[in-house]
Amino acid sequence: MTYLNGDQIKALEAILQNRRSKLLQEMRAYLYREGDHGQRRLAEASGAGDGAAATILAEMDIGFLQHETAELRAIDAALARMATASYGTCASCGNDISLARMRAQPTAHMCLACQQHVERHRTCDSARAGSKME
């Protein structure tokens, strides 16, 4: 069970819902704005024989949308945890996640110690993979 009280959860839920609304609005605006304009940019780059520029432009658009979609999924997951009363509980160790961390990162699903552990191991794994390639 989480140690967050109802008022704290409601405040964090409002932050998450607000961010979710803004993300959806930004994504819709981006897709609408980039629709014709983006197609023209890609066509011009491709028509000019600059396949690399067209690839970069397409990858930038995809990267932006992937980033926004990932954040949207994290928000939806946090809201789902609120609905099941598991919000504020570390998915790794089961301990409470501090209020300070939840305020700083309302989508957090791990306590700071577990998150740091994961990141340290991810960094070590990346370093090992890089050294094997040399």
Side-chain angles (χ1 to χ4, degrees), residues 9-130:
I9 291 175
K10 283 181 185 178
L12 291 165
E13 181 180 18
I15 290 168
L16 289 167
Q17 292 287 5
N18 185 31
R19 180 61 186 147
R20 186 179 194 285
S21 294
K22 285 182 180 178
L23 267 174
L24 288 172
Q25 185 178 17
E26 288 171 9
M27 290 173 74
R28 282 188 198 107
Y30 182 82
L31 290 170
Y32 178 77
R33 179 179 60 247
E34 290 298 315
D36 292 336
H37 176 67
Q39 293 299 323
R40 273 196 310 278
R41 284 185 316 159
L42 289 173
E44 288 168 4
S46 296
D50 194 352
T55 300
I56 290 170
L57 289 172
E59 287 176 358
M60 286 172 49
D61 290 342
I62 291 167
F64 169 78
L65 292 172
Q66 284 176 331
H67 178 269
E68 301 298 283
T69 301
E71 186 176 353
L72 192 57
R73 285 185 180 138
I75 290 169
D76 286 343
L79 292 170
R81 288 191 302 276
M82 284 179 177
T84 62
S86 61
Y87 184 77
T89 302
C90 180
S92 184
C93 70
N95 290 330
D96 291 334
I97 302 173
S98 73
L99 178 59
R101 176 158 169 74
M102 297 308 297
R103 283 183 176 150
Q105 185 65 42
T107 58
H109 64 282
M110 283 191 270
C111 67
L112 187 57
C114 289
Q115 184 67 44
Q116 288 173 337
H117 177 78
V118 167
E119 289 173 5
R120 270 194 309 272
H121 281 55
R122 190 176 302 146
T123 302
C124 291
D125 291 344
S126 296
R128 277 195 293 270

